[in-house]
Amino acid sequence: MSESIIDVRDLRREFTVRSPSGRVRRTKRSVHAVDGLTFSMPAGAAIGYIGANGAGKSTTIKMLTGILVPSSGTVRTCGLEPIRQRRTLARRIGVVFGQRTQLWWDLPLRESFRTLAAIHRLPENVWVKRRDELIDRLDLAAFVHTPVRQLSLGQRIRGEIAAALLHSPSLLILDEPTIGLDVLSKERLRLFLTEQRELHGTSLLLTTHDMDDVQRLTERVIVVDHGRMVYDGNLPGLVGRVGAERVIVLDLVEPSPPLSGIPEAELVGVEADGLRQRLSFSPERTTAAAVLAAVGERASVRDLSIEEPDIEDVVRRLYLSTTALNDHVK
């Protein structure tokens, strides 16, 4: 069994919020940003840590990295206690917050790398080789001599990723790394991160609202809601839990009347006078092959494709089902 690179047990973080009450006095109340969180992450794994705004994602990351002290519970990152061993931990992890920078605003990107290498006390022959590798793989050469303040958002984010990986950390934590990036920049970044995991065995903890990032980069998903874990497993399991349906898109040889009445399937669309038709079905009740066989008795199929459920919709359904359960318990 792989050693756990993250181990969290009954982790909690409370904040005291003061709100006005009348003209003079203020009332205090406790807000549970993280409430009894328990999970572990094997070395080399990639986990998508997702949830709505205010779910507790960033608070969790700050406790994992030693920025925030837990109210209670235990946390180990890379086998270390984040608060007590924060300096040692900093050499084992790389962190990128989407809208916060670790680069020097008025320095060229190349000089930021030099400064970070000195902070991490990297031998020159080691960091120069790693820097050149990252410049090549992230296509930074065209702007590596440009001051950071003059870089576009996409360029800066690529520079941030390179800075976080310069010291070859065991764990890379990315908090909304693709926010604001165009489609091409996102795709390049995803390919690079996949390559880094394959080449260096880097563990990845990813928080994002971009479900394409989750689908492409991770094999396990943890969903949190109001600081509590509501799901831990793979994406197909998450889809199955909320009963989301797949859609089979059928291109027929010739126009056909609507394919309604197919067992365990529902007709959801007819296009091009019946040449293309869409049928939804639940993987829990039937298979695409069974649906196709039933369609074949009524029409000739030229081509087909399967549309997977939209993950954002799946997460929304999970929240709704969790809220309904909590209301019922109350």
Side-chain angles (χ1 to χ4, degrees):
M1 180 180 294
S2 300
E3 177 187 354
S4 292
I5 201 159
I6 293 176
D7 190 42
V8 169
R9 302 293 167 188
D10 198 25
L11 188 64
R12 301 174 189 273
R13 174 67 196 199
E14 299 177 7
F15 293 98
T16 299
V17 178
R18 294 175 173 83
S19 56
S21 178
R23 295 183 178 179
V24 179
R25 300 184 60 187
R26 288 176 175 265
T27 60
K28 298 180 181 180
R29 62 186 178 91
S30 293
V31 175
H32 298 270
V34 174
D35 191 5
L37 192 64
T38 297
F39 73 92
S40 62
M41 176 179 176
I47 292 180
Y49 191 59
I50 62 178
N53 289 329
K57 305 186 301 297
S58 294
T59 301
T60 304
I61 288 177
K62 289 174 182 177
M63 289 189 286
L64 290 174
T65 55
I67 297 173
L68 277 179
V69 180
S71 299
S72 64
T74 62
V75 55
R76 296 288 186 276
T77 306
C78 299
L80 303 170
E81 296 180 29
I83 293 296
R84 188 172 65 84
Q85 299 171 287
R86 185 174 176 182
R87 288 191 176 183
T88 304
L89 179 61
R91 296 188 175 97
R92 301 280 303 278
I93 62 173
V95 185
V96 175
F97 291 98
Q99 295 299 326
R100 298 186 182 97
T101 185
Q102 60 187 315
L103 304 172
W104 276 258
W105 201 242
D106 293 313
L107 292 180
L109 185 58
R110 191 181 187 94
E111 292 306 309
S112 285
F113 294 155
R114 180 183 299 277
T115 304
L116 288 167
I119 290 173
H120 287 291
R121 300 178 183 177
L122 301 176
E124 184 168 2
N125 63 320
V126 173
W127 78 262
V128 168
K129 180 180 179 181
R130 180 64 165 154
R131 178 202 64 193
D132 292 345
E133 176 192 355
L134 292 168
I135 288 174
D136 176 56
R137 305 311 298 171
L138 283 166
D139 295 323
L140 306 180
F143 53 86
V144 74
H145 296 288
T146 303
V148 171
R149 58 183 165 78
Q150 296 179 11
L151 300 180
S152 69
L153 177 60
Q155 291 171 336
R156 184 175 66 78
I157 292 297
R158 282 149 61 194
E160 297 280 1
I161 298 287
L165 289 170
L166 184 66
H167 57 295
S168 300
S170 303
L171 171 65
L172 179 62
I173 300 176
L174 302 179
D175 189 8
E176 300 288 357
T178 63
I179 189 169
L181 299 187
D182 59 54
V183 174
L184 183 58
S185 296
K186 287 183 180 182
E187 182 61 21
R188 287 175 176 170
L189 184 54
R190 289 168 187 153
L191 290 173
F192 168 76
L193 292 171
T194 300
E195 176 190 73
Q196 288 298 296
R197 287 192 63 213
E198 293 174 352
L199 291 176
H200 302 285
T202 309
S203 305
L204 175 64
L205 181 65
L206 172 70
T207 78
T208 181
H209 284 87
D210 191 322
M211 292 300 104
D212 284 338
D213 286 348
V214 177
Q215 289 177 304
R216 295 285 300 276
L217 294 173
T218 68
E219 59 265 357
R220 177 181 164 198
V221 178
I222 294 176
V223 184
V224 289
D225 181 29
H226 293 91
R228 290 180 173 270
M229 182 188 298
V230 293
Y231 180 79
D232 183 0
N234 58 27
L235 277 176
L238 175 58
V239 171
R241 174 167 168 176
V242 299
E245 296 189 332
R246 304 170 78 189
V247 174
I248 182 170
V249 183
L250 301 164
D251 290 326
L252 306 179
V253 173
E254 56 186 27
S256 170
L259 295 170
S260 55
I262 299 295
E264 303 294 348
E266 180 181 353
L267 180 66
V268 294
V270 178
E271 303 171 24
D273 296 324
L275 270 175
R276 170 172 288 185
Q277 303 197 31
R278 298 171 183 268
L279 298 169
S280 67
F281 67 95
S282 171
E284 299 289 309
R285 297 193 302 268
T286 188
T287 64
V291 173
L292 184 60
V295 168
E297 296 178 359
R298 294 170 51 179
S300 297
V301 177
R302 179 173 57 83
D303 197 7
L304 66 90
S305 61
I306 303 291
E307 295 179 348
E308 297 294 339
D310 181 82
I311 299 302
E312 289 184 347
D313 180 58
V314 170
V315 173
R316 180 184 61 80
R317 293 189 189 195
L318 180 63
Y319 285 154
L320 291 175
S321 64
T322 303
T323 300
L325 178 60
N326 290 339
D327 291 343
H328 177 72
V329 171
K330 291 177 182 178

